Amino acid sequence: MTAIGVFDSGVGGLTVVAALAQRLPDESIVYLGDTARLPYGSKSAATVTQYTRNNLRFLLQRGVKAVVVACNTASALALPNLEPEVPTWGVVEPGARRAAAVCSRHVGVIGTESTVRSDAYALALARLAPHLRVSSRACPLFVPLVEEGWHDDPVTEQVARRYLAPLLAAGVDTLVLGCTHYPLLRPLLARVAGQGVDLVDSADSVAEEVARGLAAAGLAAPPGSAVEHHLYVTDASSGFADFAQRILGPATRPLEWVEVT
Amino acid sequence: MTAIGVFDSGVGGLTVVAALAQRLPDESIVYLGDTARLPYGSKSAATVTQYTRNNLRFLLQRGVKAVVVACNTASALALPNLEPEVPTWGVVEPGARRAAAVCSRHVGVIGTESTVRSDAYALALARLAPHLRVSSRACPLFVPLVEEGWHDDPVTEQVARRYLAPLLAAGVDTLVLGCTHYPLLRPLLARVAGQGVDLVDSADSVAEEVARGLAAAGLAAPPGSAVEHHLYVTDASSGFADFAQRILGPATRPLEWVEVT
């Protein structure tokens, strides 16, 4: 039984694990949250690339047959520089593809400082749908607000209004949630963005692309396979465990602590 | 010429460098901001201790004669487990000592999740001034709000009101700013805390204790020494350079990128 490896800078990438587990119920998953070195979103391409290389090595040593880079920042900054030995998906391409499919005019992209600075979504959209306008905005406070548990809070709503104001004023009709933490803000962001704006989250689209890719490569687990998930983190502070439970529910597996260098 | 080594998880510790440079104008300073692995404040004692050990080794390899651990989280979680080869100061003891000197009844301590969970200030105060009551509150959003540049912003004020409410309701008369980022929020925190509350910041007290300690050990630089400061960071994202300038002014030295493992 060979698993799909998934990694993120922290536990936010468990939103991608949830989507994978639902779309591919016969697949085992090995998850690595690099909680000791998070966040990636304020750091440089050189540092994020080094951490991504470390994380890939960890997952490959566990014999995974494919890798999903659930972290938008790592997908944007590091993946273009690496050539992993197994089929590997980032979240930027699938997110951009979904946005190109639903958007009629103008895509707004929100993400971390580093993801937005990389312009990865804008570049992908320019290839996929060159007729669309793209505007981006870094939202560095969203991750700490989510981690504080203030998903639906007047303070978070005020911050969201401020971050989204220039995008909404520019008339975006689609908003890409370009960070694995943001799906937890979906109801609040939908309220702030208003009815005319479609929210796009990479988790579902990446799960769909992984399903198709594994099937095409003959790597899909046969139906009825024994499934075993492992959730590793590089720092086991209790806050991360609470946050994991908020995403995966109380029946989630315990987080196992590993060192990755 | 031998320098004083100073490290912090990021560039917030430059508030301590500023205090040291003012109190000890003849001393050279080697600063290390571990920006690649920040923040420490949400992470476990094991991880913070390992990072602290790495940072100490880096500074000692540069021949420093003394070390100041400017990070409250590292001072609280890691220093008690280490025995550095040179005189070393954390910021918790000096901060607690200053609080004990000015407080009449009830000390409030604010800091990161990990600093507050460690109870380091409460333990130090229990030794220094057992008659004082101590109440603590983690304020995890203050660091990202400061890094976003929202020092004096209605959102930050709302967050501060919420974080400080239980401390103020409990009647604290002294508030320890138990994180190197918080001095940047001083005017806002003073407004929220009100006139009856003294704000205590470790930077000045640690500079004073280092000055006395170096003199006592015969390690002080002679007056008129040639001074040379170095500012190293483990990740050189441009946001950190902007933030350093906000603390030290536009004439600050450039940040130099180093790898520390």
Side-chain angles (χ1 to χ4, degrees):
Chain A
M1 181 210 58
T2 330
I4 302 172
V6 181
F7 83 82
D8 182 36
S9 57
V11 289
L14 293 174
T15 56
V16 173
V17 170
L20 283 169
Q22 188 172 23
R23 178 65 186 77
L24 295 163
D26 295 312
E27 299 289 348
S28 295
I29 296 172
V30 176
Y31 183 80
L32 173 65
D34 192 10
T35 47
R37 303 187 291 192
L38 70 78
Y40 288 6
S42 58
K43 292 165 191 169
S44 65
T47 296
V48 172
T49 302
Q50 189 200 314
Y51 292 173
T52 299
R53 201 172 271 130
N54 301 156
N55 297 341
L56 284 171
R57 194 192 316 127
F58 172 87
L59 292 172
L60 291 169
Q61 279 165 353
R62 263 141 205 85
V64 299
K65 64 184 173 188
V67 168
V68 178
V69 180
C71 174
N72 279 267
T73 304
S75 299
L77 275 65
L79 259 195
N81 311 322
L82 300 173
E83 295 188 3
E85 312 151 26
V86 298
T88 298
W89 287 266
V91 284
V92 170
E93 283 287 328
R97 223 177 329 265
R98 171 76 67 107
V102 303
C103 181
S104 55
R105 253 181 2 263
H106 192 165
V107 183
V109 178
I110 55 175
T112 65
E113 201 75 55
S114 300
T115 298
V116 166
R117 205 176 329 114
S118 78
D119 251 349
Y121 277 99
L123 294 170
L125 282 161
R127 274 198 316 278
L128 295 164
H131 61 288
L132 294 176
R133 257 187 84 192
V134 183
S135 301
S136 306
R137 177 76 159 96
C139 304
L141 287 168
F142 279 169
V143 168
L145 284 163
V146 167
E147 284 177 353
E148 181 65 325
W150 295 10
H151 306 97
D152 200 14
D153 188 282
V155 165
T156 309
E157 185 155 339
Q158 243 175 294
V159 173
R161 286 196 189 286
R162 203 181 301 180
Y163 281 150
L164 299 192
L167 298 177
L168 297 173
V172 304
D173 57 86
T174 303
L175 188 65
V176 175
L177 310 185
C179 171
T180 43
H181 281 71
Y182 297 179
L184 290 132
L185 295 172
R186 189 181 256 275
L188 185 147
L189 292 173
R191 202 160 61 233
V192 170
Q195 285 201 332
V197 179
D198 275 320
L199 302 193
V200 168
D201 152 13
S202 304
D204 293 331
S205 16
V206 77
E208 191 51 47
E209 296 197 10
V210 171
R212 277 203 307 262
L214 290 183
L219 287 171
S225 296
V227 165
E228 196 180 320
H229 298 323
H230 281 279
L231 308 180
Y232 295 104
V233 287
T234 54
D235 180 89
S237 184
S238 62
F240 301 127
D242 299 344
F243 187 57
Q245 290 212 342
R246 238 186 291 146
I247 300 175
L248 294 181
T252 184
R253 288 186 61 89
L255 301 180
E256 301 169 56
W257 185 26
V258 289
E259 270 197 89
V260 173
T261 48
Chain B
M1 181 211 60
T2 329
I4 303 172
V6 180
F7 83 81
D8 181 35
S9 56
V11 290
L14 293 174
T15 56
V16 173
V17 169
L20 284 169
Q22 189 173 22
R23 179 65 186 77
L24 295 163
D26 295 312
E27 300 289 348
S28 296
I29 296 172
V30 176
Y31 182 80
L32 173 64
D34 192 11
T35 46
R37 302 187 290 194
L38 69 77
Y40 288 6
S42 58
K43 292 165 192 170
S44 65
T47 295
V48 172
T49 302
Q50 188 200 314
Y51 292 172
T52 299
R53 201 172 271 132
N54 301 156
N55 297 341
L56 283 171
R57 194 191 315 127
F58 172 87
L59 291 172
L60 291 169
Q61 280 165 353
R62 263 142 205 84
V64 299
K65 63 184 173 188
V67 169
V68 178
V69 180
C71 175
N72 279 267
T73 304
S75 299
L77 274 65
L79 259 195
N81 310 323
L82 300 173
E83 295 188 4
E85 312 150 26
V86 299
T88 298
W89 288 267
V91 285
V92 170
E93 284 286 327
R97 220 174 334 262
R98 170 76 66 107
V102 302
C103 181
S104 56
R105 254 182 1 263
H106 192 165
V107 183
V109 178
I110 55 175
T112 65
E113 200 76 54
S114 300
T115 299
V116 166
R117 205 175 329 114
S118 77
D119 251 349
Y121 277 98
L123 294 170
L125 283 162
R127 273 198 316 278
L128 295 164
H131 61 289
L132 294 176
R133 257 186 84 189
V134 182
S135 302
S136 306
R137 177 76 158 100
C139 304
L141 287 168
F142 279 169
V143 168
L145 283 163
V146 168
E147 286 178 350
E148 181 66 324
W150 295 10
H151 306 99
D152 201 13
D153 188 283
V155 165
T156 310
E157 186 156 337
Q158 242 175 295
V159 173
R161 287 197 189 285
R162 202 180 305 180
Y163 281 151
L164 298 191
L167 298 176
L168 298 173
V172 304
D173 57 87
T174 304
L175 187 65
V176 176
L177 310 185
C179 171
T180 44
H181 282 71
Y182 297 179
L184 290 133
L185 295 172
R186 190 182 256 273
L188 184 147
L189 292 173
R191 203 160 60 233
V192 170
Q195 285 200 333
V197 179
D198 274 320
L199 303 192
V200 169
D201 153 12
S202 304
D204 293 331
S205 15
V206 77
E208 192 50 48
E209 296 197 10
V210 171
R212 276 203 308 263
L214 290 182
L219 289 170
S225 297
V227 165
E228 195 181 321
H229 298 323
H230 281 278
L231 308 179
Y232 296 104
V233 287
T234 53
D235 179 89
S237 183
S238 61
F240 300 128
D242 299 345
F243 187 58
Q245 289 213 342
R246 239 186 291 147
I247 300 175
L248 294 181
T252 183
R253 288 186 61 88
L255 301 181
E256 301 170 55
W257 185 24
V258 289
E259 270 197 88
V260 173
T261 47

